[in-house]
Amino acid sequence: MGTKKIWSFMLLMLLALIVALAACSSEKETGGDKETSTDKENEGTTTEGATEETGEKVLIFGRGGDSVFLDPIAATDGESFKVTQNVFETLLNFGDEDTTINPGLAKEWEASEDGLTYTFKLQEGVKFHDDTDFNAEAVVKNFERWANGSEDKFPYYASMFGGFKADEGHVIESVTADGDYTVVFKLKRAQAPFLKNIAMSPFGIASPTAFEAAGDKFGDNPVGTGPFKFVEWKRNDSITIEKFDGYWVDGLPKLDKVVFRAIPDNSARLNELLAGGIDLADGVNPADGVTVEGDSNLQLFERPSMNVGYLGLTTTRPPFDNVKVRQAMNYAIDKQAIIDAFFEGRAQIAKNPMPPSISGYNDDIPGYEYDPAKAKALLAEAGFADGFEMELWAMPVPRPYMPDGAKVAEVIQKNLEDIGVKAKIVSYEWATYLEKARNGEADAFMLGWTGDNGDADNFIYVLLDQDNIGSNNYTYYSNDELHKILIEAQTEVDEEKRNDLYKQAQEIIFEDAPWVPLAHSTPLLAGKANITGFIPHPTGSDKLTNVDFK
Amino acid sequence: MLHYIGKRLLQLIPVLLGMTFLVFMIIRAIPGNPAQVILGQLASEEAIKALEIKLGLNNPWYTQYIDYLIGLFKGDLGESMRTVQPVSKEIWPYLAATFELAFFAILIAVIIGVNAGIISAWFQNSWFDYLAMVLALIGVSMPIFWLGLMEQWIFGIELQWLPTSGREDVRNPISSVTNLYVLDTIINGRFDQLGQVLKHLVLPGIALATIPMAIIARMTRSSMLEVMRADYIRTARAKGQKMFWVVYKHALKNAIIPVLTVIGLQMGLLLGGAILTETIFSWPGIGRYIYDAIQFRDYPVIQSGILIVAFIFVMINLFVDILYGLIDPRIKYD
């Protein structure tokens, strides 16, 4: 068995390999004589090779997950809204980069003094993708459909408007058409964030003809008034939407087609962008921001922050039932170090439970500085001069507000060790983690929140009010005074007074320290350098109407 | 033979039944409430209770299990709690995607693995043998995640030869008929896209093939070594037969049986265990489908998904057992 024979065998293997590869490269040849073959095919299909030949502008948007529903009212996940935001339109819009209220399908609106009646004047000449007319009747029918639903069908309707038609807490008394282009909402009680709620993606107005015909299957073929109409959904793979020629704003949208592709792994998604398979990548790791900035073919987009990452302290579990211990935890943790190391500096130190972009933010709160000595002194005062042992729960999944839970937990563990507290890091699979934390089984746990509608209520009330213990108030924190303020703020229509109430609320929370607020992060996106007009929205659902290629 | 197949199919029933029970119990033992997950973080307590009733989650476990079994016998795999679609309707595209990828991967693994094993055995202790076995060792121990990202970097970004993710060129998509895209392009007569689809298969195919390839190579080698020491090989060679002939006909025929077992097992594993590959290459397959279902505690999808994968796994092994008899008629079925 000489070397000669091995060589001849290697040659044989090489031959086999070449044959195999020929299968791959022959595509190139078929690509070469594609003209002839596609010409024949073109008779039967329409889109064939359109990209190269007609210069169609197609944007491929890579993101972390697939949509769950394409009927926006059924969805709760951000990935669903990324698509529906472009197929449907809401009565009111958020600002390009914030959550101020702007005209949408309603061009004007008016609220009564007592905040109980809202009158919307609608845009005229708007059509749904199925050629149905958009008018007051359509709006009424949409709200009727939602109000007659149930929480498992239309979850956001219930949480934003206090339940459904028959429920006592239901905020909306009636929605009626006054002529063809005026809609009147009557509320049972004032709801301060009402307009912000109306502007949220789930409340996109759907074609009544389409949803009446499709029933439960409406999500398979969604029809709205948006700049793009739905084409195809290959589950867990891609969703295609294309330009709606009858869009009511002239000259828009600028793109012919958008394909949303689900690419779950962050690094793989960036790889795909670098390889040219996608044009825009959502969810770029903070650590990869520098790579993108250093590449002249790419540009980095920063999404305005509307989130908070925090360490929750379960206030019913000793020793965290002692406010001094909680304050000591706040002094003990070096937030800046965490942000520098794991957010690559692309985050802001949090001192309140909501980000500064939300109106009502209290900038006068001093925040707890990193001061281990003070922490130790507080612990001694609380009777824990020798420290104590605790469990520290680390998030098992990366989230925009917490890129790497395990690593951050290690830093916190070290910080706590410095003040004599021995923390054991534990972690569970995500759904288990949430369930156990919700049950109050954690001493201290990492978590976060991304706002839905840019309202203070959506942060403070949802996360820290006693009403939400067992729901989103995972720390079991309860304060009657705070509760009173938050309830008052929910019906206060005067913006100034309302902001004052939230400022007071933040003072109380600062003193009681149920959390160690850590960071408000800036989520990153990356795109090809020739993309123009893309403005990432803080809510996470971006309108692609103005996006174009240079 | 038919008798044997019938018996094996009958044996399947208790195996799959046991499987349903195990999966059913295990997924309910892990904490996490589907109603809660479906309704999201803002859901009220009452809504969660109401949905639990609607989904039958508050029934005792045995009622739920019996309902599930009754459904199964009627051919009803249940309805996904998350997407509210029947699992039987939803599952095929995922299954097809994985099947296509797994088939491609096993093809690579068998062609390269078996040949490398044979050559290594033939030229035992040569440099090729050492190299192949070292590579095989690296192959089994290589983290797929790392390998996948490296492949993307080298062949996708640096060389720009191959697409790094997905199943097709989304700028020029094909309409799916069978959801086996290679087949679909042929059915639709879109041969320009056939090339694209094959290209998309290469990187994930190689990533998925690495471990089985290494295992098959090692198995083939040791099996061949054993056979080649046998008397009849020596006789064949003494008769002056060409070494190539001896190795590929006489020796391989006897050595291939244990290798077949390994191939069958690997094929089964690929079907269910391709999650990592599917994640890195964003391949919309069954592994990710079940993985996502677990994240969302989507019980019907987890149950039925695992059941179907298990069923295919068992069927492949049955097929392998039948192949034994075709290759070596001395193997009796009883």
Side-chain angles (χ1 to χ4, degrees):
Chain A
M1 271 154 262
T3 333
K4 228 179 187 175
K5 277 184 180 162
I6 303 181
W7 276 115
S8 54
F9 234 99
M10 292 293 286
L11 208 69
L12 199 81
M13 289 297 295
L14 200 69
L15 245 138
L17 202 71
I18 290 168
V19 172
L21 281 178
C24 300
S25 59
S26 66
E27 321 142 7
K28 271 223 173 103
E29 278 144 47
T30 30
D33 55 28
K34 191 164 142 198
E35 259 73 7
T36 45
S37 68
T38 42
D39 278 354
K40 266 180 247 153
E41 306 308 327
N42 263 337
E43 290 162 18
T45 47
T46 47
T47 54
E48 197 83 54
T51 334
E52 297 91 45
E53 281 142 39
T54 61
E56 209 179 43
K57 285 186 274 193
V58 184
L59 178 89
I60 304 191
F61 192 144
R63 53 188 187 142
D66 194 18
S67 295
V68 181
F69 295 103
L70 290 181
D71 180 3
I73 191 67
T76 52
D77 62 308
E79 297 303 342
S80 291
F81 298 135
K82 283 198 173 86
V83 179
T84 64
Q85 182 74 6
N86 290 289
V87 175
F88 295 88
E89 287 175 300
T90 38
L91 288 181
L92 300 173
N93 283 336
F94 289 130
D96 284 344
E97 287 174 276
D98 53 31
T99 52
T100 52
I101 298 297
N102 289 276
L105 285 174
K107 54 183 178 185
E108 290 162 29
W109 61 95
E110 212 181 320
S112 65
E113 283 275 298
D114 57 3
L116 291 178
T117 310
Y118 287 86
T119 310
F120 293 89
K121 290 250 182 288
L122 305 181
Q123 285 288 353
E124 293 174 28
V126 177
K127 289 229 183 245
F128 288 101
H129 303 153
D130 62 355
D131 216 32
T132 305
D133 287 321
F134 166 77
N135 51 28
E137 199 50 45
V139 176
V140 172
K141 279 187 178 162
N142 271 275
F143 272 87
E144 261 170 18
R145 173 182 181 230
W146 302 336
N148 287 319
S150 58
E151 205 162 336
D152 56 313
K153 274 183 170 163
F154 305 146
Y156 256 126
Y157 186 83
S159 61
M160 293 295 133
F161 297 115
F164 296 94
K165 211 170 203 169
D167 297 337
E168 205 182 309
H170 190 217
V171 171
I172 299 177
E173 166 96 55
S174 68
V175 184
T176 45
D178 175 13
D180 273 353
Y181 295 101
T182 307
V183 180
V184 181
F185 285 72
K186 285 220 165 15
L187 306 190
K188 289 182 190 162
R189 53 173 200 281
Q191 186 189 36
F194 179 72
L195 292 175
K196 278 186 177 147
N197 290 347
I198 291 282
M200 287 171 62
S201 299
F203 307 114
I205 303 295
S207 159
T209 330
F211 69 67
E212 275 164 11
D216 284 348
K217 302 255 181 276
F218 179 67
D220 293 345
N221 208 347
V223 183
T225 59
F228 295 94
K229 60 181 185 189
F230 170 77
V231 179
E232 196 192 11
W233 185 3
K234 287 181 176 162
R235 281 191 190 258
N236 241 353
D237 191 11
S238 64
I239 293 176
T240 307
I241 55 178
E242 68 181 18
K243 180 179 185 156
F244 172 44
D245 288 324
Y247 188 54
W248 57 281
V249 184
D250 273 342
L252 294 179
K254 292 175 179 162
L255 292 168
D256 294 299
K257 210 189 251 181
V258 181
V259 183
F260 293 90
R261 277 189 57 196
I263 304 176
D265 183 63
N266 281 1
S267 308
R269 197 172 329 113
L270 187 65
N271 274 349
E272 184 73 13
L273 179 71
L274 292 167
I278 56 177
D279 304 305
L280 197 59
D282 195 7
V284 171
N285 290 328
D288 291 327
V290 186
T291 317
V292 176
E293 281 174 328
D295 190 329
S296 60
N297 297 317
L298 301 179
Q299 55 181 323
L300 191 71
F301 296 101
E302 292 191 336
R303 194 185 284 291
S305 178
M306 205 169 91
N307 61 42
V308 57
Y310 63 89
L311 180 73
L313 309 170
T314 310
T315 57
T316 47
R317 288 173 78 92
F320 298 108
D321 51 354
N322 185 326
V323 65
K324 291 209 166 107
V325 175
R326 299 200 297 266
Q327 289 175 341
M329 297 285 284
N330 269 282
Y331 281 118
I333 293 169
D334 186 357
K335 301 170 185 178
Q336 190 62 53
I338 291 173
I339 288 174
D340 289 344
F342 305 113
F343 293 77
E344 304 284 321
R346 291 179 202 278
Q348 201 178 346
I349 288 187
K351 54 184 185 180
N352 284 318
M354 63 187 203
S357 57
I358 307 274
S359 76
Y361 182 80
N362 190 341
D363 209 15
D364 297 332
I365 300 281
Y368 292 93
E369 303 216 328
Y370 175 53
D371 192 343
K374 210 161 184 180
K376 267 187 126 160
L378 274 166
L379 275 192
E381 270 179 53
F384 292 98
D386 300 329
F388 53 86
E389 288 183 15
M390 60 174 277
E391 277 189 1
L392 172 63
W393 288 27
M395 274 177 60
V397 291
R399 281 289 179 274
Y401 48 76
M402 191 66 66
D404 192 337
K407 294 260 175 63
V408 173
E410 280 170 28
V411 175
I412 295 177
Q413 185 185 40
K414 175 70 182 50
N415 284 159
L416 294 180
E417 207 179 294
D418 292 344
I419 61 161
V421 174
K422 264 184 91 166
K424 186 179 147 219
I425 297 177
V426 290
S427 192
Y428 299 94
E429 178 270 340
W430 188 224
T432 310
Y433 184 95
L434 288 176
E435 170 120 342
K436 285 171 97 74
R438 179 184 297 264
N439 291 339
E441 291 175 38
D443 292 330
F445 57 88
M446 290 158 77
L447 211 61
W449 181 257
T450 300
D452 291 304
N453 58 356
D455 194 87
D457 182 70
N458 187 253
F459 278 87
I460 301 186
Y461 174 76
V462 167
L463 301 173
L464 286 161
D465 189 79
Q466 59 200 40
D467 283 352
N468 287 313
I469 288 177
S471 169
N472 283 298
N473 180 351
Y474 289 48
T475 56
Y476 285 67
Y477 167 61
S478 153
N479 180 318
D480 292 334
E481 198 192 340
L482 177 75
H483 177 68
K484 223 183 88 219
I485 293 174
L486 292 179
I487 294 299
E488 198 184 330
Q490 283 181 338
T491 50
E492 177 56 63
V493 198
D494 185 325
E495 195 67 21
E496 285 280 301
K497 283 189 198 153
R498 192 159 181 257
N499 287 345
D500 280 343
L501 288 170
Y502 283 117
K503 283 182 180 163
Q504 284 175 41
Q506 286 161 77
E507 279 163 24
I508 297 171
I509 294 163
F510 172 72
E511 280 304 319
D512 283 348
W515 289 5
V516 182
L518 297 173
H520 307 296
S521 75
T522 308
L524 299 178
L525 297 98
K528 286 187 180 157
N530 62 346
I531 291 177
T532 60
F534 177 69
I535 305 170
H537 198 266
T539 56
S541 8
D542 309 310
K543 277 205 191 322
L544 303 172
T545 323
N546 284 305
V547 176
D548 202 353
F549 290 104
K550 261 196 272 223
Chain B
M1 178 74 115
L2 277 179
H3 176 72
Y4 172 75
I5 295 175
K7 207 169 103 187
R8 280 288 298 266
L9 286 176
L10 278 180
Q11 279 171 359
L12 258 181
I13 297 172
V15 170
L16 290 177
L17 212 62
M19 189 74 212
T20 59
F21 185 71
L22 259 178
V23 173
F24 185 90
M25 293 312 285
I26 289 172
I27 58 176
R28 275 166 181 75
I30 47 176
N33 178 355
Q36 169 72 60
V37 184
I38 292 165
L39 293 176
Q41 282 186 293
L42 282 170
S44 66
E45 204 64 19
E46 306 88 71
I48 293 172
K49 291 258 153 58
L51 185 59
E52 277 175 357
I53 293 170
K54 194 172 153 192
L55 295 172
L57 291 171
N58 56 340
N59 292 338
W61 66 268
Y62 48 86
T63 329
Q64 289 184 49
Y65 181 63
I66 291 168
D67 286 346
Y68 167 55
L69 280 189
I70 292 174
L72 271 187
F73 279 114
K74 289 188 204 148
D76 176 9
L77 294 176
E79 200 174 66
S80 162
M81 291 179 178
R82 196 157 75 109
T83 61
V84 212
Q85 301 274 336
V87 177
S88 51
K89 184 187 146 205
E90 206 178 61
I91 203 167
W92 172 246
Y94 297 106
L95 206 57
T98 297
F99 190 77
E100 192 168 68
L101 178 61
F103 185 78
F104 191 75
I106 210 80
L107 211 64
I108 300 177
V110 169
I111 293 174
I112 300 181
V114 168
N115 282 301
I118 292 172
I119 301 167
S120 291
W122 184 354
F123 306 109
Q124 195 191 356
N125 299 330
S126 69
W127 63 265
F128 180 90
D129 183 22
Y130 290 127
L131 182 72
M133 287 308 114
V134 168
L135 284 180
L137 189 68
I138 296 173
V140 244
S141 32
M142 179 119 61
I144 291 209
F145 230 91
W146 183 81
L147 175 66
L149 291 173
M150 281 302 120
E151 279 183 11
Q152 289 180 342
W153 180 55
I154 296 170
F155 297 103
I157 300 169
E158 293 302 323
L159 299 171
Q160 304 259 335
W161 285 356
L162 293 162
T164 62
S165 72
R167 293 184 72 188
E168 60 173 343
D169 177 7
V170 288
R171 287 175 209 272
N172 196 359
I174 57 166
S175 51
S176 35
V177 185
T178 61
N179 283 295
L180 295 164
Y181 282 13
V182 173
L183 219 59
D184 283 347
T185 47
I186 296 172
I187 293 173
N188 291 332
R190 297 194 48 186
F191 295 102
D192 57 318
Q193 284 300 301
L194 177 61
Q196 276 298 330
V197 168
L198 285 173
K199 263 190 185 173
H200 279 86
L201 273 164
V202 175
L203 293 186
I206 291 173
L208 198 56
T210 312
I211 291 174
M213 195 191 322
I215 294 173
I216 290 170
R218 281 160 40 135
M219 191 70 209
T220 312
R221 179 179 180 270
S222 65
S223 179
M224 282 293 283
L225 281 178
E226 206 166 299
V227 172
M228 291 203 355
R229 273 193 284 269
D231 288 345
Y232 71 93
I233 299 290
R234 209 178 317 141
T235 314
R237 292 195 55 200
K239 285 198 304 189
Q241 283 209 350
K242 277 255 181 337
M243 191 59 185
F244 182 84
W245 196 247
V246 174
V247 168
Y248 272 84
K249 184 157 183 279
H250 296 288
L252 184 59
K253 199 169 168 185
N254 287 291
I256 200 73
I257 300 246
V259 178
L260 264 185
T261 314
V262 173
I263 294 173
L265 283 173
Q266 290 299 321
M267 181 76 192
L269 286 178
L270 289 191
L271 280 175
I275 302 168
L276 284 183
T277 313
E278 287 174 3
T279 305
I280 302 167
F281 293 97
S282 55
W283 196 269
I286 188 87
R288 256 175 70 207
Y289 180 58
I290 296 176
Y291 178 78
D292 285 350
I294 293 172
Q295 299 278 302
F296 287 95
R297 301 289 186 269
D298 195 339
Y299 293 162
V301 173
I302 308 172
Q303 281 162 192
S304 303
I306 294 179
L307 185 67
I308 287 175
V309 171
F311 177 75
I312 296 172
F313 189 89
V314 178
M315 290 310 283
I316 290 175
N317 280 301
L318 173 61
F319 179 71
V320 168
D321 286 351
I322 293 167
L323 262 190
Y324 290 167
L326 297 179
I327 292 172
D328 187 347
R330 287 171 309 177
I331 293 176
K332 291 274 187 301
Y333 297 107
D334 39 33

